[in-house]
Amino acid sequence: MAEMWINIGPQHPSTHGLWDLRIKVNGEVIIDSDPQVGYLHRSVEKICERKEFIMAMPMTERLCYVANMNWTHLYVHGVEKLMNCEIPDRAKWIRVMVCEWNRVASHLFWLGAYVHDIGNLTMFLWPIREREYVLDLLEYITGARMMYNYPRIGGQVKDVDDKFLRRSKVVADMILERTVEYERMLDDSDLWGMRTKGVGVIDRQMAKNAGLTGPSLRASGVDYDTRKALPYWAYNEVDFEVPVYDEGDCFARYRVRLEEIRESCKIVKQCADRMPEGEFLGKAPRVAPKTSAWVRHEDPRGESMCWIMGTGGKNAYRTKFRSPAFVNISALPLMLLGYKIPDVPGIMGSIDVCIGEVDR
Amino acid sequence: MAPANPFDWTFTELCGALNDISYHVFYAAGDLPHNLWNILVTSLGMSNSALGPGQMTFHAGIADWLFVQNRAIMVPLIAASLLLMFTLINVLMFIWVERKLLARFMDRRGPMVSGPFGLLQNVWDGMKLLIKENARPARAEMFAFFLCPVILVGSALAAAGAIPMSPKVMIATIDLDLLWVLMLFAFAPYAVFLGGWASYNKFSLIGGMRSAAQMLAGEVPFFLSIAGVVLIAGSFRFGDIVAWQDAHGWMIFAQPLGAVLFTVAVLIELERIPFDLPEAESELVEGWTTEYSGLRWGMLWLGGYMRGYVGCAMIVLLFLGGWGMPSYTIGSVPVFAPHILPPIVVFFAKTYLVFAFFVWVRASYPRLRTDQLLNAGWKRLLPLTLVNIALAGFLIVDQVRPGEVAQTPLGPASQETIVAWSVGILTFLVMVGAYSARLMPRVLQPLASTARLFVGTLGWFGGRPFTVLYPYERLEVPLSERWLHGLSDEKCISCARCCRICPDNCLNMVESEKGQHPDPRFTTRPALDASHCMFCGLCVEVCPTGALTMGPNYELSGFSRDELYWSQDQLMGYTKHDMQENPKKGEMEVEGPLDKLLYPLLTPVLQFVTPHNYERAKGSHVDANVASSAIRALGGASSDDKEMGLIVDNMSPRSRKAVEMLLEDMRTRRKGPRDDSAWDLRHQRKREPKGSGFGETPPDEEDGG
Amino acid sequence: MAAPMLPPGAPPLPVSTLPPAPECVELATRIESAWKGKVKSVRAMNPLNPGIQAEKNVFVAFESETGAMPAFWKWLRDKEKFDHCSVVVAIDHMDRIEVKHLLFSYTTHITVETSAMCDRMDPEMPSASLAWRGANWLEREQFDLMGVKFIDHPDLRRVLLPDDWIGHPLRKDYEFRQAGEWW
């Protein structure tokens, strides 16, 4: 068969978002690739220039809607850095706790969608079911299942109470048990291994150079996690490990995320035990100075950054979000070369794309 | 001889009598389809025993012409339509079993609403497909495009016609039954490839080629794995094979390897998981069926399930004893007696159980890539089928006496020939296997992991599903849930902060018709455009008096855009107070007397609680007012502020300052009605100044752009 | 805190009293000695507030003379082991466009921020995608939204907006009707 360009998308059940992965195939083997994004571009950065900080925050929620606690807190953190405003201790620990819960929810959702793409229908629903418990918890404190709108400049809008902390520990224990069940179903399974081991390999040097970050980078052997390297909030006070694998294939990325679910559950339990008393919302200035500030976060998908430049008023002059999935998609062609068409959903799913943050 | 009066019978005689009765009743019931067939046939004048040539039951000429002179046409027609109806009903039940069982493996419920237990769901799905457009691509090859479903369904039906369901109920039977069915199965790759090619679509082409390659890889193991059965039973007829199994026990014990190979080959042929890559929706949309829509697509699916029925029926007939029930006796006491159930019921029970096994496989495994599958088919299945034939040869070798030549269906065979062939095949394979010595360990470990995955899927089976049957059941939603707004008329002071803070300009102030606030200055109230609202809750937070709240009513859809514009009346009617008083407000009615009766009865029976069933988060019963707005409770600093309820004890300093600024503002303001038209942002949205960039809407026709 | 951008007549900015990390200071001296004359200014930045986030920043300004930038980036990547280009930002000050590249080292956790000024009418500057592949799409995005052309970029075309879009939306003078189409 001759060479031809095939569009996987933009309407496709397994792209998990609205984007178009164009691949050039020779028979069944992929020889080139050209992802096209931008179908969900909502010009959030331009909107942030015209709205006050607090009004722009619901926009940032819609950036990555699966891990939206991380993105709203990223934005608010950036604004706080711009205003040089520190937040109370309790707010720091609450932020760590909810961001880790959202990481767990995001990784569980990724796992469900990923095994569904590979074909295992039952394993799709089990992580989704676990995620429902996490969403129930976050609904309890914020009032919404997905668009939480939780942080404010200076802290959080509502407090967490003891019931939430107790329930968090119960749910974290339950999820820790169930990850063992997922491992048993998937790790030793030959069929799973045939689809994911040795597929979509990217080596260390190329991963670093291509800007790949997050679990995909750690699966290629680079031991880097923003929460450990440049800690923020209470991350230097909680005890957790960073899983690193060397192979760089889809199986390694799956293992990194599974173990990250475990580590996040451990962090949540520590936060629930050590939550300090005090205020949850501190004082914040009304206006931001005309300087600029960067913050870096460890998003479930990689390293996200927010750069804000103030105008001296209540809104920003320029806001820039660095989306990890955007750069991960640009590294995707390197992972696809030489593999076959049926491997595409596997490789595409293993880098965990969320188009809201890619397109902004 | 038993006494005449049944009350005088002993226990043994009673049991014997019951046995006799059940024997006769069930045997007669088992005869029922045959008897009905006889009645039908006799009344239509088609039976050879009831009528001779020239004899008529009907006196009308047309009936004579149809059913006597042209009986060669009418009999097949009626038989074919009966076959079609019967197979369709079977297929619908198969699809129902698949959907329900797959759902239970996945901890959800499957079709629940159409008909009791969702039995009519597939009927309605078929109707839906009927009313859809039968689109076809403009440049598709018309003849081939139309032909593909015809071949698929036609071959499947013809194969279904050769399947006997009981010794007396069958559509047709020939000497080479088995070969007939195998041949018809082999039509499918041709149809699939034709459909994929004719669609004029890259995805379909690739999918069609993959599918054809996969089916071809499955054909050869498909045929060869039952060669052993044929050798042992000595005939190609289904009836003979089942009779052999009645006499000697189920074939699965004589040919275990053959049974496993045949099952795998059937899964490959049917394109079920783990072999469903050609039609996997996450790969190339729908694969080779992408361009098919409406009933034509329904036909493809139907053909697939018909072949599924035929495949399962073949497994039952060839390996599981067909319509016979195993009978075991200890001494002379029948432990498990035959003829309890009519053979046709036994046959269908077994077929559905085999299909349930296929569904279990589907729920457990991911799918194999095509090249991995072809690898497995040609390199692993095929040698194993040859091993199987050799083993079968060993089994029948003593049926042929030395020196004699027997006529087996595969040709003449003497003992020497059989032994020579078997030894030759085995030696060849051992030599091949010696080269790939790593084959052996790679056989056992995957088997273990495969078995573990299979059994692990059972983990949640039979427990209470995690899903709720909306709208008959609803989850409890915490009261702090941020959904539709409620407005308290007494508290609103028309400050319009909610309008200003809304990121999407959803709220605007309108004149209130029934202002109940004691102060005549506060005459405007917010109205909400819920079609834009993203329920962020900023408006509730900013409201200094706590007049605007958000409640847990999330059922907001309507039939027109106007229904989403919540004016003052509607907002005031949905305050938290109302929701607490009348929680069923807005709930949907459960329809139908049967549903109302069945669901409360069946729910506790069908679902029991497993220890893992974690209680979903119940309502927090924390008032959103308390949690999110400045006012914690009524109570305050100064007397007139207290009456207004504006300043309270545990306000945050920021809110306190805001309310103090507001009060100051109010004290110095001029008396008289306020002009809030500047806040009427909704009507002003179309007139945003140029260059502001946001909220710009298309130019009005009347404006002239 | 990044380099302060002061519009004329602005009040002074808050200054941090914390000293910069020693690695940053050493790196700044190495850059200064190796690239004297080609770089306008090098500064190891004072961390503003470790309570908000810990950081190690070095700011390198190239102003309008961007000719040495490709060589500088390659030197950073090979000699100083900066293996990751984090982000590329283009800012539209009304009279010029500033483009920042943030480069990160996974071993020392130092961020080097290079800043270049481009003419607003026809902004051009060298591309870092020859040194780091990760900068490829980031620069495409800034070209798409701000109009900055990156010289020697292997594949400079729009990434977020449709290919036939006219105009660069993040500029301060962009109007919706200007593009000729709206949604």
Side-chain angles (χ1 to χ4, degrees):
Chain A
M1 258 172 68
E3 296 178 355
M4 58 182 182
W5 280 96
I6 292 187
N7 284 319
I8 310 255
Q11 289 122 351
H12 197 277
S14 79
T15 50
H16 302 305
L18 195 62
W19 60 297
D20 187 6
L21 176 64
R22 304 191 64 220
I23 48 178
K24 190 170 180 194
V25 288
N26 182 0
E28 281 246 334
V29 180
I30 301 173
I31 51 179
D32 197 4
S33 147
D34 176 29
Q36 310 227 331
V37 297
Y39 290 90
L40 202 54
H41 179 67
R42 293 152 294 173
S43 61
V44 170
E45 293 178 357
K46 186 105 177 150
I47 292 176
C48 285
E49 292 173 14
R50 299 180 194 285
K51 298 222 183 259
E52 304 174 19
F53 293 121
I54 190 63
M55 286 163 70
M57 203 199 48
M59 305 292 161
T60 56
E61 242 171 9
R62 273 97 182 139
L63 280 178
C64 177
Y65 30 83
V66 183
N68 45 23
M69 279 287 195
N70 289 276
W71 280 86
T72 46
H73 284 87
L74 173 76
Y75 181 67
V76 166
H77 194 193
V79 174
E80 283 164 5
K81 187 140 183 229
L82 182 66
M83 298 174 170
N84 194 9
C85 153
E86 263 206 68
I87 58 176
D89 271 341
R90 189 176 171 94
K92 287 185 185 170
W93 283 82
I94 293 177
R95 282 188 178 182
V96 169
M97 197 166 174
V98 295
C99 283
E100 291 306 309
W101 262 138
N102 215 330
R103 187 187 309 271
V104 169
S106 170
H107 281 332
L108 283 171
F109 188 70
W110 168 83
L111 186 63
Y114 189 54
V115 297
H116 180 75
D117 283 346
I118 304 279
N120 199 334
L121 302 175
T122 314
M123 276 293 294
F124 166 56
L125 283 175
W126 297 0
I128 303 286
R129 181 188 57 200
E130 264 64 272
R131 179 176 171 261
E132 287 291 314
Y133 292 130
V134 177
L135 255 50
D136 279 349
L137 272 176
L138 291 171
E139 187 187 26
Y140 174 71
I141 46 167
T142 60
R145 272 167 59 89
M146 219 164 154
M147 300 301 163
Y148 306 114
N149 200 12
Y150 194 44
R152 295 286 181 268
I153 302 167
Q156 312 296 109
V157 66
K158 295 184 201 178
D159 201 4
V160 299
D161 56 354
D162 284 335
K163 196 167 165 195
F164 173 77
L165 297 176
R166 272 182 284 124
R167 280 225 154 134
S168 287
K169 287 200 274 195
V170 171
V171 174
D173 280 330
M174 181 187 80
I175 294 182
L176 281 171
E177 276 173 30
R178 299 224 179 141
T179 48
V180 174
E181 224 179 273
Y182 303 152
E183 270 187 338
R184 232 181 12 187
M185 288 282 277
L186 292 175
D187 272 16
D188 303 323
S189 159
D190 227 35
L191 285 165
W192 179 253
M194 276 162 88
R195 291 301 299 273
T196 53
K197 286 189 185 160
V199 172
V201 176
I202 185 166
D203 66 316
R204 216 179 115 112
Q205 198 52 43
M206 188 54 77
K208 286 198 285 190
N209 198 295
L212 204 62
T213 47
S216 317
L217 185 67
R218 292 195 277 279
S220 291
V222 178
D223 185 2
Y224 174 73
D225 188 326
T226 315
R227 296 173 288 174
K228 292 269 195 204
L230 301 168
Y232 46 101
W233 303 332
Y235 277 112
N236 45 3
E237 293 174 47
V238 288
D239 183 30
F240 65 102
E241 285 173 18
V242 173
V244 177
Y245 283 77
D246 283 322
E247 297 93 15
D249 57 5
C250 293
F251 189 75
R253 294 191 270 269
Y254 145 74
R255 288 290 320 164
V256 167
R257 289 199 180 93
L258 194 73
E259 297 197 7
E260 275 190 6
I261 295 178
R262 290 212 186 108
E263 298 300 322
S264 294
C265 286
K266 289 185 201 160
I267 296 179
V268 164
K269 282 166 67 170
Q270 289 174 50
C271 288
D273 285 331
R274 294 160 60 182
M275 181 74 64
E277 300 296 327
E279 280 194 323
F280 55 92
L281 182 66
K283 268 180 86 68
R286 284 237 157 237
V287 297
K290 286 186 188 164
T291 56
S292 55
W294 292 102
V295 283
R296 292 174 185 267
H297 272 210
E298 180 73 24
D299 192 61
R301 279 153 190 83
E303 185 186 48
S304 55
M305 301 171 73
C306 174
W307 182 87
I308 305 186
M309 185 168 165
T311 54
K314 286 190 195 175
N315 59 344
Y317 185 79
R318 168 87 164 98
T319 314
K320 164 81 180 150
F321 293 102
R322 187 235 192 224
S323 147
F326 185 72
V327 189
N328 290 355
I329 287 186
S330 72
L332 183 61
L334 297 165
M335 292 188 230
L336 283 175
L337 287 180
Y339 293 99
K340 303 198 172 59
I341 299 182
D343 291 322
V344 167
I347 303 175
M348 200 165 59
S350 73
I351 60 171
D352 197 2
V353 178
C354 178
I355 293 296
E357 66 178 59
V358 168
D359 289 346
R360 273 152 291 154
Chain B
M1 190 55 190
N5 191 355
F7 288 105
D8 294 338
W9 287 345
T10 61
F11 185 68
T12 320
E13 282 165 342
L14 191 63
C15 287
L18 280 173
N19 203 12
D20 278 347
I21 292 169
S22 65
Y23 181 90
H24 286 293
V25 164
F26 286 117
Y27 212 72
D31 260 355
L32 189 61
H34 180 69
N35 289 334
L36 281 177
W37 179 255
N38 264 339
I39 293 166
L40 181 68
V41 152
T42 321
S43 65
L44 289 175
M46 296 186 314
S47 161
N48 283 330
S49 58
L51 292 172
Q55 283 185 342
M56 285 185 265
T57 51
F58 301 107
H59 304 292
I62 290 191
D64 172 42
W65 183 79
L66 271 180
F67 294 115
V68 176
Q69 293 173 16
N70 292 310
R71 77 166 70 105
I73 301 176
M74 286 313 293
V75 168
L77 266 180
I78 294 180
S81 50
L82 280 177
L83 169 67
L84 179 67
M85 205 167 58
F86 173 77
T87 316
L88 279 178
I89 293 178
N90 241 341
V91 162
L92 287 182
M93 286 305 298
F94 263 50
I95 304 178
W96 178 83
V97 164
E98 160 138 52
R99 287 171 80 160
K100 275 301 223 191
L101 203 58
L102 198 63
R104 293 318 299 258
F105 278 115
M106 293 183 185
D107 214 8
R108 56 183 177 93
R109 293 172 200 221
M112 291 285 281
V113 178
S114 334
F117 299 103
L119 282 167
L120 295 179
Q121 179 72 42
N122 297 307
V123 175
W124 302 133
D125 283 344
M127 304 275 274
K128 171 196 80 172
L129 288 174
L130 264 175
I131 61 180
K132 280 199 189 216
E133 178 189 359
N134 264 331
R136 110 184 138 75
R139 284 187 270 191
E141 180 63 41
M142 274 181 61
F143 183 62
F145 196 74
F146 294 158
L147 200 60
C148 161
V150 170
I151 296 178
L152 204 58
V153 175
S155 66
L157 263 183
I163 303 283
M165 288 159 256
S166 90
K168 297 181 189 156
V169 182
M170 58 187 76
I171 306 287
T173 178
I174 49 176
D175 266 341
L176 296 173
D177 256 342
L178 193 53
L179 217 50
W180 168 258
V181 174
L182 295 181
M183 176 193 75
L184 285 168
F185 249 85
F187 267 91
Y190 181 63
V192 162
F193 186 63
L194 204 63
W197 169 79
S199 301
Y200 202 80
N201 181 347
K202 277 182 228 176
F203 289 132
S204 301
L205 184 61
I206 296 181
M209 290 185 55
R210 276 189 193 169
S211 198
Q214 172 176 316
M215 284 189 179
L216 283 175
E219 291 289 342
V220 181
F222 193 63
F223 292 176
L224 289 180
S225 52
I226 50 182
V229 173
V230 167
L231 270 179
I232 293 177
S235 158
F236 275 104
R237 261 183 199 258
F238 281 128
D240 292 349
I241 298 177
V242 176
W244 186 95
Q245 291 184 75
D246 268 343
H248 295 92
W250 287 2
M251 190 74 77
I252 194 171
F253 302 116
Q255 285 263 283
L257 186 59
V260 167
L261 290 170
F262 187 66
T263 311
V264 173
V266 166
L267 281 174
I268 297 179
E269 282 290 315
L270 297 180
E271 288 185 347
R272 291 186 67 86
I273 290 182
F275 308 114
D276 77 334
L277 204 77
E279 59 192 37
E281 53 187 36
S282 68
E283 306 285 332
L284 292 175
V285 199
E286 281 283 313
W288 61 277
T289 57
T290 310
E291 296 293 341
Y292 286 88
S293 60
L295 197 61
R296 211 170 279 142
W297 180 76
M299 285 286 134
L300 295 178
W301 222 36
L302 206 70
Y305 275 99
M306 278 184 196
R307 296 175 76 230
Y309 161 64
V310 173
C312 292
M314 278 175 69
I315 292 178
V316 166
L317 287 170
L318 295 174
F319 293 103
L320 293 178
W323 49 74
M325 282 296 280
S327 62
Y328 299 113
T329 57
I330 301 180
S332 63
V333 179
V335 171
F336 192 60
H339 307 303
I340 293 293
L341 293 168
I344 193 168
V345 171
V346 170
F347 175 78
F348 278 111
K350 286 188 196 172
T351 311
Y352 277 86
L353 279 175
V354 168
F355 189 69
F357 177 78
F358 282 2
V359 175
W360 187 2
V361 166
R362 180 178 184 195
S364 316
Y365 297 121
R367 51 179 79 96
L368 285 179
R369 260 192 352 229
T370 313
D371 62 319
Q372 293 165 344
L373 172 80
L374 297 178
N375 234 0
W378 291 107
K379 291 194 203 165
R380 310 245 190 275
L381 285 184
L382 191 56
L384 286 174
T385 53
L386 297 178
V387 168
N388 188 40
I389 296 178
L391 290 175
F394 278 126
L395 279 178
I396 66 162
V397 81
D398 64 344
Q399 290 180 15
V400 183
R401 284 209 221 116
E404 277 188 8
V405 172
Q407 286 292 341
T408 66
L410 298 174
S414 67
Q415 204 177 58
E416 291 85 3
T417 320
I418 295 171
V419 170
W421 270 107
S422 309
V423 169
I425 292 174
L426 275 177
T427 314
F428 171 71
L429 286 173
V430 163
M431 278 170 55
V432 166
Y435 271 113
S436 48
R438 57 191 171 84
L439 207 65
M440 253 353 259
R442 280 195 53 104
V443 168
L444 294 175
Q445 198 271 336
L447 279 180
S449 75
T450 312
R452 198 183 308 143
L453 199 63
F454 197 52
V455 175
T457 315
L458 267 187
W460 296 97
F461 187 76
R464 186 193 173 93
F466 190 73
T467 53
V468 293
L469 193 68
Y470 185 85
Y472 306 107
E473 300 170 15
R474 281 186 173 82
L475 284 176
E476 269 191 48
V477 158
L479 275 179
S480 64
E481 188 88 349
R482 289 199 317 256
W483 283 109
L484 193 68
H485 301 66
L487 179 67
S488 160
D489 206 25
E490 305 88 49
K491 290 188 190 169
C492 179
I493 53 173
S494 309
C495 64
R497 273 168 203 220
C498 49
C499 304
R500 200 161 60 76
I501 196 86
C502 179
D504 218 4
N505 286 346
C506 302
L507 289 158
N508 59 292
M509 303 298 281
V510 295
E511 272 301 321
S512 150
E513 293 99 24
K514 39 172 170 177
Q516 289 174 17
H517 200 277
D519 195 319
R521 294 173 293 178
F522 309 134
T523 53
T524 55
R525 297 283 177 273
L528 171 73
D529 188 357
S531 63
H532 291 262
C533 180
M534 54 178 171
F535 302 103
C536 59
L538 287 174
C539 50
V540 171
E541 229 180 289
V542 130
C543 181
T545 55
L548 195 64
T549 58
M550 281 177 108
N553 174 30
Y554 53 86
E555 285 160 344
L556 299 175
S557 43
F559 286 97
S560 68
R561 271 185 194 261
D562 294 338
E563 289 184 37
L564 287 176
Y565 182 68
W566 284 70
S567 67
Q568 179 196 1
D569 287 338
Q570 287 146 308
L571 284 180
M572 291 198 307
Y574 257 87
T575 54
K576 194 82 70 350
H577 189 61
D578 288 323
M579 290 298 295
Q580 275 173 307
E581 272 192 349
N582 191 359
K584 296 239 179 256
K585 188 171 180 173
E587 247 187 46
M588 257 177 71
E589 272 292 305
V590 174
E591 288 173 350
L594 193 64
D595 290 339
K596 279 202 181 106
L597 180 67
L598 273 182
Y599 283 115
L601 284 180
L602 288 175
T603 306
V605 169
L606 291 177
Q607 299 156 355
F608 55 90
V609 178
T610 64
H612 291 284
N613 193 17
Y614 178 74
E615 214 180 55
R616 300 290 293 267
K618 301 285 191 208
S620 68
H621 301 289
V622 171
D623 206 317
N625 264 350
V626 173
S628 70
S629 97
I631 308 296
R632 288 327 191 243
L634 289 179
S638 63
S639 58
D640 60 311
D641 294 329
K642 202 183 196 169
E643 268 174 26
M644 288 184 127
L646 290 177
I647 300 201
V648 294
D649 285 334
N650 46 353
M651 274 165 95
S652 75
R654 186 161 63 174
S655 311
R656 180 181 280 264
K657 183 130 194 310
V659 174
E660 278 167 2
M661 282 167 61
L662 179 70
L663 286 172
E664 184 60 42
D665 193 28
M666 281 161 55
R667 274 182 217 119
T668 55
R669 196 176 297 139
R670 60 174 163 78
K671 307 290 179 186
R674 274 173 19 159
D675 176 11
D676 266 326
S677 61
W679 290 110
D680 198 353
L681 296 168
R682 184 169 172 265
H683 300 297
Q684 280 193 354
R685 209 185 301 151
K686 290 187 179 164
R687 278 119 182 97
E688 283 260 356
K690 245 173 139 47
S692 69
F694 101 97
E696 296 217 4
T697 45
D700 279 347
E701 256 64 29
E702 59 206 345
D703 267 356
Chain C
M1 219 170 80
M5 288 315 309
L6 279 175
L13 299 161
V15 172
S16 163
T17 51
L18 297 165
E23 308 91 71
C24 295
V25 177
E26 286 164 24
L27 179 63
T29 33
R30 282 204 295 272
I31 295 176
E32 192 125 30
S33 58
W35 295 88
K36 223 193 305 280
K38 309 210 185 99
V39 166
K40 273 283 150 49
S41 74
V42 183
R43 247 187 77 188
M45 307 293 293
N46 313 73
L48 178 65
N49 193 337
I52 299 182
Q53 183 169 31
E55 55 188 349
K56 293 184 216 170
N57 294 342
V58 172
F59 178 74
V60 178
F62 279 86
E63 299 292 325
S64 317
E65 280 134 32
T66 56
M69 287 183 96
F72 177 68
W73 285 323
K74 284 217 165 64
W75 175 81
L76 269 185
R77 182 191 68 179
D78 298 328
K79 288 280 173 345
E80 298 291 338
K81 309 282 182 241
F82 275 76
D83 32 24
H84 169 58
C85 174
S86 290
V87 68
V88 178
V89 192
I91 307 138
D92 184 11
H93 308 289
M94 303 307 280
D95 47 353
R96 65 203 182 291
I97 291 184
E98 178 186 358
V99 180
K100 296 182 194 257
H101 284 72
L102 244 72
L103 312 154
F104 189 73
S105 159
Y106 285 125
T107 41
T108 55
H109 305 311
I110 298 181
T111 308
V112 167
E113 182 182 333
T114 62
S115 155
M117 302 294 176
C118 312
D119 177 38
R120 196 162 187 276
M121 299 313 291
D122 188 18
E124 269 192 349
M125 68 167 277
S127 162
S129 55
L130 302 168
W132 296 281
R133 255 185 221 247
N136 190 321
W137 271 39
L138 293 163
E139 288 178 349
R140 268 177 77 184
E141 185 197 346
Q142 295 310 308
F143 165 68
D144 188 2
L145 297 175
M146 199 63 97
V148 179
K149 289 197 188 42
F150 291 92
I151 309 168
D152 289 336
H153 191 280
D155 184 22
L156 197 65
R157 55 195 162 101
R158 289 188 181 269
V159 61
L160 291 180
L161 295 170
D163 288 327
D164 50 358
W165 195 270
I166 306 167
H168 299 284
L170 273 182
R171 293 202 175 184
K172 292 292 175 187
D173 58 353
Y174 180 79
E175 292 199 9
F176 269 90
R177 306 257 160 78
Q178 170 191 0
E181 43 186 303
W182 47 266
W183 298 96

